């Protein structure tokens, strides 16, 4: 499945600060560019930390090196937007510097940038689950499962041959861009999730 990548949403022209910059230098940057925080980078554009409005208000007249939150919580451009959103929530940050393979700053993504993903229309989410998940990934007939989407909440109803297929479907649906939650109302003819461990144990005994 094709997931929207962080690189497709990030702002490429990043306002950053040097570790030796003063309180006033950073405050001026925030006001001039109407932003609430900046990444702090060294001479090679490697991210050292992040300094925000709250950092400035709490500690005046210090250098950026003393003010910044370090190490910075960063994300790679090839990571999915969903992964970036979960990282932001888990770490309680408003922005993520985007880095390349050599840890150099290439962009920045904010919570506001990520919101557009979760505003994806319900019909588009439904289509992607039916076509990408059921059809392309799982190779199932699309009509075998009813897919209902309301405000990003996906409800899956239907009967599959194996319970492992149902689990896989739920997991893949949760990863579709724009999905807020998945309600599992699937049933299965066979619960192979219980049989699999026994089968592996039996093979181990007789082999």
């Amino acid at each position: 499945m094709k997931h929207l990548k962080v690189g497709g949403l990030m702002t490429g022209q990043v306002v950053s600060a040097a570790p030796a910059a003063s309180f006033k230098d950073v405050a001026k940057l925030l006001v001039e560019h109407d932003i609430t925080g900046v990444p702090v980078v060294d001479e090679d554009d490697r991210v050292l930390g992040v300094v925000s409005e709250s950092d400035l208000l709490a500690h005046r007249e210090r250098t950026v090196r003393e003010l910044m939150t370090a190490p910075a919580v960063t994300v790679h451009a090839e990571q999915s937007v969903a992964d970036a959103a979960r990282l932001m929530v888990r770490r309680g940050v408003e922005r993520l510097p985007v880095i390349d393979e050599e840890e150099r700053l290439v962009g920045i993504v904010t919570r506001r940038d990520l919101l557009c993903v979760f505003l994806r229309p319900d019909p588009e989410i439904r289509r992607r689950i039916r076509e990408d998940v059921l059809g392309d990934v799982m190779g199932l007939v699309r009509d075998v499962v009813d897919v209902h989407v309301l405000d990003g909440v996906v409800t899956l109803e239907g009967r599959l041959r194996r319970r492992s297929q149902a689990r896989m479907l739920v997991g893949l649906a949760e990863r579709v861009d724009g999905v807020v939650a998945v309600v599992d109302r699937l049933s299965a003819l066979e619960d192979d999730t219980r049989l699999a461990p026994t089968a592996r144990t039996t093979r181990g005994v007789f082999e």
Side-chain angles (χ1 to χ4, degrees), residues 17-23 25-26 38-41 50-51 56 62-69:
S22 68
F23 170 94
D25 291 335
V26 178
V38 292
V40 181
V41 298
V50 174
V51 63
L56 295 181
R62 294 187 180 181
T63 65
V64 167
R65 187 184 297 278
E66 297 170 305
L67 290 170
M68 69 182 184
T69 299

Side-chain angles (χ1 to χ4, degrees), residues 100-112:
D100 61 16
E101 295 79 5
E102 297 182 350
E103 309 296 316
R104 290 190 173 92
L105 182 68
V106 294
I108 196 163
V109 63
T110 67
R111 288 197 179 197
R112 182 177 296 179

